[in-house]
Amino acid sequence: MLGLGNAITGGAAPPEWTPENLGSTMIIWFKNDTGLTNLSGTDGNSDNRLQWSDQSGNNNHAIQDTDADKPAISEGGLDFELSETDYMSFTTGFDFDHPKTFTIFFVVKRESDSAQNTLIGQSSTEFISFSTNDDRVKVRSAGSGADNITVVFDENNLWGPTGTDFIFTISKDSFGQLLFYKNGTNAPESGGGTSVNNGDQMDILYLGSKTGSSHNFDGIMKEIIICDTVLSTSDRDDTITYLKNKFSIS
């Protein structure tokens, strides 16, 4: 009788939060250790495809058909080598042309920080990347009102150290204001203020490179979540908590 009473009053445990709770605002989800396949057909053809399948339901996968440009599958994600110009293409290119908004989460382990490392982009004028030296971040757009923003942070060597997992989060609102977070904590800019990038063109086709052959990422991308809005504080915090728990990041 006691057991029955506990079942009635206690009820079922609440379901665990996952990025699926973000709903349709999540447009891409490359989930760790999920949907990674590497075929071994004819080099350069789709039967030779490395693919990280999108778990958002939008089927916008990350793909690469050429052996020389394939990152290695490692630690449930993809290991990009700067010296080998590894990169992936999205099945379908998309854009964050202003005034479109976004929030993007990357779980990464960097292998070097002495050169510019691109996260996503399409050309030498449309990309988001870690910069050189003090691990500054570059956000560049093209077209009318084009901006080439290099964001400098209060803390030197913030986006590291190399060989350590961390969560890089960036958001852009409808005014072009950029906010950055490391492991869920806001990263203040040097001298205060908030950088703005409101150029009307920011097209995205590549993961881990600007153009496929320049400023390629160096390290492991372990999980990526891309949303087409500035998430609420609670949704952002829930996503960060999910990723921190998953990768044992403090």
Side-chain angles (χ1 to χ4, degrees):
M1 194 70 177
L2 180 60
L4 177 62
N6 285 344
I8 293 173
T9 59
E16 181 180 359
W17 192 96
T18 78
E20 292 175 345
N21 292 69
L22 295 171
S24 61
T25 188
M26 182 175 63
I27 60 172
I28 290 174
W29 181 15
F30 299 136
K31 185 178 181 181
N32 187 262
D33 205 25
T34 303
L36 280 162
T37 55
N38 189 13
L39 303 180
S40 55
T42 303
D43 192 19
N45 293 347
S46 60
D47 64 352
N48 193 55
R49 178 161 293 173
L50 169 66
Q51 179 166 306
W52 200 356
S53 296
D54 174 22
Q55 304 300 309
S56 73
N58 293 309
N59 294 318
N60 197 356
H61 313 307
I63 59 175
Q64 178 56 261
D65 296 339
T66 302
D67 284 336
D69 297 326
K70 286 182 177 180
I73 296 175
S74 179
E75 299 183 29
L78 294 177
D79 187 357
F80 298 77
E81 299 295 337
L82 181 65
S83 60
E84 298 174 8
T85 63
D86 294 337
Y87 73 98
M88 304 289 282
S89 299
F90 291 97
T91 306
T92 305
F94 56 99
D95 68 73
F96 287 131
D97 300 345
H98 192 70
K100 291 181 179 178
T101 59
F102 62 77
T103 307
I104 310 176
F105 305 86
F106 288 89
V107 180
V108 297
K109 179 190 287 185
R110 301 183 69 189
E111 293 175 355
S112 68
D113 57 18
S114 60
Q116 188 174 339
N117 280 204
T118 304
L119 292 161
I120 55 173
Q122 176 166 291
S123 70
S124 60
T125 58
E126 298 166 88
F127 61 85
I128 300 172
S129 72
F130 294 115
S131 190
T132 55
N133 300 324
D134 293 331
D135 304 335
R136 302 171 183 184
V137 172
K138 295 180 71 69
V139 182
R140 185 162 186 175
S141 59
S144 176
D147 283 317
N148 184 13
I149 303 297
T150 299
V151 183
V152 183
F153 298 92
D154 268 347
E155 182 180 343
N156 287 339
N157 299 313
L158 174 65
W159 306 110
T162 58
T164 301
D165 293 348
F166 69 90
I167 305 164
F168 171 81
T169 307
I170 176 174
S171 68
K172 181 179 81 72
D173 67 15
S174 59
F175 299 101
Q177 296 182 109
L178 301 168
L179 292 177
F180 302 85
Y181 305 83
K182 181 179 181 181
N183 299 335
T185 300
N186 177 251
E189 295 187 27
S190 179
T194 301
S195 290
V196 173
N197 191 312
N198 53 17
D200 71 354
Q201 294 177 29
M202 184 181 282
D203 299 317
I204 304 298
L205 181 59
Y206 302 121
L207 175 68
S209 181
K210 288 183 185 179
T211 64
S213 60
S214 65
H215 300 96
N216 298 65
F217 190 75
D218 191 18
I220 303 174
M221 294 189 184
K222 295 193 171 186
E223 190 147 346
I224 302 164
I225 298 168
I226 301 178
C227 299
D228 64 0
T229 188
V230 177
L231 294 179
S232 67
T233 300
S234 60
D235 279 345
R236 188 185 68 243
D237 287 348
D238 284 341
T239 307
I240 292 290
T241 298
Y242 164 84
L243 294 171
K244 290 174 77 171
N245 290 340
K246 186 171 189 175
F247 295 96
S248 300
I249 295 172
S250 58

